[in-house]
Amino acid sequence: MTKRQSYFWFGLFAFGTISFTLVQDNFRPNYDGQNEIIKYLLGIAPNYFAGLGLSSFFIAMFTHINTTSKKPSSSVWLNSKVQITSVLISVIGLSLWEYLQTYSTRGYFDWHDLVWTILGASTFYLIWFVINRQTKNEK
């Protein structure tokens, strides 16, 4: 992975984090309308952006650590399958967080949130696939 690609993944992580925060802290609490579709989208959007952004964060971090380390990892899960590792860690972590909300007074478990977390991580994987394919075609 090139430096340019690393910057792209960190940028996608920043986009996901900023979008998550804006929806969670600003748009959703201040929406007073009665449109059910907008309410639904404001409810699931943070999960989508978290799935997208967190997967981007992990791929950027793993590849950065692997390329700057004196002894790079020989694990296939941190090299050729790093995108799968990033998605799995993100989806499992965010799903556990969703489940733990059943024991919290601040949030509640929602299947829609899980589905949209997976869709966000799937969007990351699709972007990774397209970028990786283009990079291979350029060589």
Side-chain angles (χ1 to χ4, degrees):
M1 177 180 297
T2 66
K3 254 187 181 178
R4 185 175 168 203
Q5 287 174 330
S6 289
Y7 291 144
F8 173 79
W9 295 119
F10 276 121
L12 194 57
F13 164 65
F15 169 77
T17 303
I18 291 167
S19 299
F20 169 90
T21 304
L22 283 173
V23 172
Q24 183 84 12
D25 297 340
N26 294 326
F27 300 146
R28 190 163 62 182
N30 295 318
Y31 179 72
D32 294 330
Q34 298 303 315
N35 188 318
E36 293 300 317
I37 294 172
I38 293 176
K39 284 182 182 179
Y40 177 76
L41 291 174
L42 290 174
I44 54 89
N47 300 83
Y48 177 82
F49 290 126
L52 176 67
L54 202 54
S55 297
S56 301
F57 171 77
F58 283 119
I59 197 165
M61 289 306 298
F62 288 145
T63 54
H64 175 74
I65 290 168
N66 219 13
T67 56
T68 60
S69 176
K70 290 182 181 179
K71 186 179 178 194
S73 174
S74 59
S75 170
V76 71
W77 293 103
L78 295 177
N79 288 310
S80 63
K81 295 185 180 184
V82 69
Q83 74 282 5
I84 296 170
T85 304
S86 299
V87 167
L88 286 174
I89 291 172
S90 299
V91 169
I92 290 169
L94 292 167
S95 298
L96 284 173
W97 172 249
E98 188 67 30
Y99 174 74
L100 289 174
Q101 289 184 55
T102 59
Y103 301 104
S104 169
T105 58
R106 284 195 72 219
Y108 62 94
F109 178 83
D110 185 2
W111 283 104
H112 293 266
D113 290 346
L114 284 179
V115 168
W116 284 93
T117 296
I118 293 167
L119 288 172
S122 298
T123 302
F124 155 80
Y125 190 84
L126 178 66
I127 294 168
W128 178 88
F129 180 78
V130 169
I131 288 174
N132 194 42
R133 188 170 172 201
Q134 285 178 344
T135 304
K136 283 183 180 178
N137 289 340
E138 290 174 1
K139 290 181 180 178

Coordinates of all heavy atoms in Angstrom, one line a residue, residues 40-74:
Y40 N -35.8 7.5 10.6 CA -35.1 6.2 10.4 C -33.7 6.4 10.0 O -32.8 5.8 10.6 CB -35.9 5.3 9.4 CG -35.2 4.0 9.2 CD1 -35.3 3.0 10.2 CD2 -34.5 3.8 8.0 CE1 -34.7 1.7 10.0 CE2 -33.9 2.5 7.8 CZ -34.0 1.5 8.8 OH -33.3 0.3 8.6
L41 N -33.5 7.2 9.0 CA -32.1 7.4 8.5 C -31.2 8.1 9.5 O -30.1 7.7 9.7 CB -32.1 8.3 7.2 CG -32.7 7.6 6.0 CD1 -32.9 8.6 4.8 CD2 -31.9 6.4 5.6
L42 N -31.8 9.0 10.3 CA -31.0 9.6 11.4 C -30.7 8.6 12.5 O -29.7 8.7 13.2 CB -31.7 10.8 11.9 CG -31.8 12.0 11.0 CD1 -32.6 13.1 11.6 CD2 -30.4 12.6 10.7
G43 N -31.5 7.6 12.6 CA -31.3 6.6 13.6 C -30.3 5.6 13.3 O -29.5 5.1 14.1
I44 N -30.2 5.2 12.0 CA -29.2 4.2 11.6 C -27.9 4.8 11.0 O -26.9 4.1 10.9 CB -29.9 3.2 10.6 CG1 -30.5 3.9 9.3 CG2 -30.9 2.4 11.2 CD1 -29.5 4.2 8.2
A45 N -27.9 6.0 10.6 CA -26.7 6.6 10.0 C -25.5 6.5 10.8 O -24.4 6.2 10.3 CB -27.0 8.1 9.6
P46 N -25.5 6.8 12.2 CA -24.3 6.6 12.9 C -23.7 5.2 12.8 O -22.5 5.1 12.8 CB -24.7 6.9 14.4 CG -25.9 7.8 14.2 CD -26.6 7.3 13.0
N47 N -24.5 4.2 12.8 CA -24.0 2.8 12.7 C -23.3 2.6 11.3 O -22.3 1.9 11.2 CB -25.1 1.8 12.9 CG -25.7 2.0 14.3 OD1 -26.6 2.9 14.5 ND2 -25.3 1.2 15.2
Y48 N -24.0 3.1 10.3 CA -23.4 3.0 8.9 C -22.0 3.7 8.9 O -21.0 3.1 8.4 CB -24.3 3.6 7.9 CG -23.8 3.6 6.5 CD1 -23.9 2.4 5.7 CD2 -23.1 4.7 6.0 CE1 -23.3 2.4 4.4 CE2 -22.6 4.6 4.7 CZ -22.7 3.5 3.9 OH -22.2 3.5 2.7
F49 N -21.9 4.9 9.3 CA -20.7 5.6 9.3 C -19.6 5.0 10.2 O -18.4 5.0 9.9 CB -20.9 7.1 9.7 CG -21.7 7.9 8.6 CD1 -22.8 8.6 8.9 CD2 -21.2 7.9 7.3 CE1 -23.5 9.3 7.9 CE2 -21.9 8.6 6.3 CZ -23.1 9.2 6.6
A50 N -20.0 4.4 11.3 CA -19.1 3.7 12.2 C -18.5 2.5 11.5 O -17.3 2.2 11.6 CB -19.8 3.4 13.5
G51 N -19.4 1.7 10.9 CA -18.9 0.5 10.1 C -17.9 0.9 9.0 O -16.9 0.2 8.8
L52 N -18.2 2.0 8.3 CA -17.3 2.4 7.2 C -16.0 3.0 7.8 O -14.9 2.6 7.4 CB -18.1 3.5 6.4 CG -17.3 4.2 5.3 CD1 -17.0 3.2 4.2 CD2 -18.1 5.4 4.8
G53 N -16.2 3.9 8.8 CA -15.0 4.6 9.3 C -14.0 3.7 10.1 O -12.8 3.8 9.9
L54 N -14.6 2.9 10.9 CA -13.7 2.0 11.7 C -13.0 1.0 10.9 O -11.8 0.7 11.2 CB -14.6 1.3 12.8 CG -13.9 0.8 14.1 CD1 -13.0 1.9 14.7 CD2 -14.8 0.2 15.0
S55 N -13.6 0.4 9.9 CA -12.9 -0.5 9.0 C -11.8 0.2 8.3 O -10.7 -0.3 8.1 CB -13.9 -1.1 8.0 OG -14.9 -1.8 8.6
S56 N -12.0 1.4 7.9 CA -10.9 2.2 7.2 C -9.8 2.5 8.2 O -8.6 2.5 7.8 CB -11.5 3.6 6.7 OG -12.5 3.3 5.8
F57 N -10.1 2.8 9.4 CA -9.1 3.0 10.5 C -8.2 1.8 10.6 O -7.0 2.0 10.6 CB -9.7 3.4 11.8 CG -8.8 3.5 12.9 CD1 -7.9 4.6 13.1 CD2 -8.7 2.4 13.9 CE1 -7.0 4.6 14.1 CE2 -7.8 2.5 14.9 CZ -7.0 3.6 15.0
F58 N -8.8 0.6 10.8 CA -8.0 -0.6 11.0 C -7.1 -0.9 9.8 O -6.0 -1.3 10.0 CB -8.9 -1.7 11.4 CG -9.3 -1.7 12.8 CD1 -10.7 -1.6 13.1 CD2 -8.4 -1.6 13.9 CE1 -11.1 -1.5 14.5 CE2 -8.8 -1.6 15.2 CZ -10.2 -1.5 15.5
I59 N -7.6 -0.8 8.6 CA -6.7 -1.1 7.5 C -5.6 -0.1 7.4 O -4.4 -0.5 7.1 CB -7.5 -1.2 6.1 CG1 -6.7 -1.9 5.1 CG2 -7.9 0.2 5.6 CD1 -7.4 -2.4 3.9
A60 N -5.8 1.1 7.7 CA -4.8 2.1 7.6 C -3.7 1.9 8.7 O -2.5 1.9 8.5 CB -5.3 3.5 7.8
M61 N -4.2 1.5 9.9 CA -3.3 1.3 11.0 C -2.5 0.0 10.8 O -1.3 0.0 11.0 CB -4.1 1.2 12.3 CG -4.6 2.5 12.8 SD -3.3 3.8 12.9 CE -2.2 3.2 14.1
F62 N -3.1 -1.1 10.4 CA -2.4 -2.3 10.2 C -1.3 -2.2 9.1 O -0.2 -2.7 9.3 CB -3.4 -3.5 9.9 CG -4.2 -3.9 11.0 CD1 -5.5 -4.4 10.8 CD2 -3.7 -4.0 12.3 CE1 -6.3 -4.8 11.8 CE2 -4.5 -4.4 13.4 CZ -5.8 -4.8 13.1
T63 N -1.7 -1.6 8.0 CA -0.7 -1.4 7.0 C 0.4 -0.5 7.3 O 1.5 -0.7 7.0 CB -1.4 -1.0 5.6 OG1 -2.2 0.1 5.8 CG2 -2.3 -2.1 5.1
H64 N 0.0 0.6 8.0 CA 1.1 1.5 8.5 C 2.1 0.9 9.4 O 3.3 1.0 9.2 CB 0.4 2.7 9.2 CG 1.4 3.7 9.7 ND1 2.2 4.5 8.9 CD2 1.9 3.9 11.0 CE1 3.0 5.2 9.7 NE2 2.8 4.9 10.9
I65 N 1.6 0.1 10.4 CA 2.4 -0.6 11.3 C 3.3 -1.6 10.6 O 4.5 -1.8 10.9 CB 1.6 -1.2 12.4 CG1 1.0 -0.2 13.4 CG2 2.4 -2.2 13.2 CD1 0.0 -0.7 14.3
N66 N 2.7 -2.3 9.7 CA 3.4 -3.4 8.9 C 4.5 -2.8 8.0 O 5.5 -3.4 7.8 CB 2.4 -4.2 8.1 CG 2.7 -5.6 8.1 OD1 3.5 -6.1 8.9 ND2 2.1 -6.4 7.2
T67 N 4.2 -1.6 7.4 CA 5.2 -1.1 6.5 C 6.3 -0.3 7.2 O 7.4 -0.1 6.7 CB 4.6 -0.1 5.5 OG1 3.8 0.9 6.1 CG2 3.7 -0.9 4.6
T68 N 6.1 0.2 8.4 CA 7.1 1.0 9.2 C 7.8 0.2 10.2 O 8.8 0.6 10.7 CB 6.4 2.2 9.8 OG1 5.5 1.8 10.8 CG2 5.9 3.2 8.8
S69 N 7.4 -1.0 10.4 CA 8.0 -1.9 11.4 C 9.3 -2.5 10.9 O 9.4 -2.8 9.7 CB 7.0 -3.0 11.8 OG 7.7 -3.9 12.7
K70 N 10.3 -2.6 11.8 CA 11.5 -3.3 11.4 C 11.3 -4.7 11.0 O 12.1 -5.2 10.2 CB 12.6 -3.1 12.5 CG 13.0 -1.7 12.7 CD 14.1 -1.6 13.8 CE 14.5 -0.2 14.0 NZ 15.5 0.0 15.1
K71 N 10.4 -5.4 11.7 CA 10.1 -6.8 11.4 C 8.6 -6.9 11.0 O 7.8 -7.1 11.9 CB 10.5 -7.7 12.5 CG 10.3 -9.1 12.2 CD 10.7 -10.0 13.4 CE 10.5 -11.4 13.0 NZ 10.5 -12.3 14.2
P72 N 8.2 -6.7 9.8 CA 6.8 -6.8 9.4 C 6.2 -8.1 9.7 O 6.9 -9.1 9.8 CB 6.8 -6.6 7.9 CG 8.1 -6.0 7.6 CD 9.1 -6.5 8.6
S73 N 4.9 -8.1 10.0 CA 4.2 -9.3 10.3 C 4.2 -10.3 9.1 O 4.1 -9.9 8.0 CB 2.8 -9.0 10.7 OG 2.0 -10.2 10.9
S74 N 4.3 -11.6 9.4 CA 4.2 -12.6 8.4 C 2.8 -13.2 8.3 O 2.6 -14.1 7.5 CB 5.3 -13.7 8.7 OG 5.0 -14.3 9.9

